[in-house]
Amino acid sequence: MKNAESCKGLSAFNDLAENYGHHLPGSPADLFDWLLEQPQDMVLSLLAFGAAHSVNAVEKKFTDRKRGIEQANQLGRALKVNMPDWFETTGDSYFKHVNPHDH
């Protein structure tokens, strides 16, 4: 990703990863026992964080992923995600993705 440091969503995601990294046990062998000792909201937050890595809501010009996009849209609506809160469209961000041969 170009200019990743300017992406609020990625920054928030990285902050979560760092935060969870401080809490998780260092040894994978200790993870399951550690999870059993955690309150349900902590476990659910970790599961949501893990699931977020598998969501792909990028709409490309030519794609057969119509169902996947609709599922991502449903997830966004359920979580009340408002993309303008996380991504600002600028001339620079737009024109970096426009092919000069598109007319």
Side-chain angles (χ1 to χ4, degrees), residues 7-9 57 73 76 80-89:
C7 178
K8 287 192 276 185
N73 288 337
K80 295 179 174 57
V81 172
N82 185 12
M83 282 309 292
D85 292 342
W86 299 100
F87 179 79
E88 180 181 352
T89 303

Side-chain angles (χ1 to χ4, degrees), residues 46-97:
L46 280 168
L47 287 172
F49 178 74
H53 282 280
S54 66
V55 174
N56 180 353
V58 175
E59 291 189 45
K60 295 189 176 180
K61 192 182 288 188
F62 304 105
T63 183
D64 292 331
R65 289 189 61 245
K66 300 297 182 204
R67 287 182 152 174
I69 296 299
E70 183 50 36
Q71 290 168 348
N73 288 337
Q74 289 174 358
L75 183 60
R77 285 189 297 272
L79 297 173
K80 295 179 174 57
V81 172
N82 185 12
M83 282 309 292
D85 292 342
W86 299 100
F87 179 79
E88 180 181 352
T89 303
T90 64
D92 192 40
S93 68
Y94 175 78
F95 287 111
K96 282 184 180 179
H97 300 285

Side-chain angles (χ1 to χ4, degrees), residues 4-26:
E5 65 280 353
S6 66
C7 178
K8 287 192 276 185
L10 183 59
S11 178
F13 203 74
N14 288 339
D15 288 347
L16 280 173
E18 186 175 326
N19 183 43
Y20 286 132
H22 292 302
H23 295 289
L24 295 174

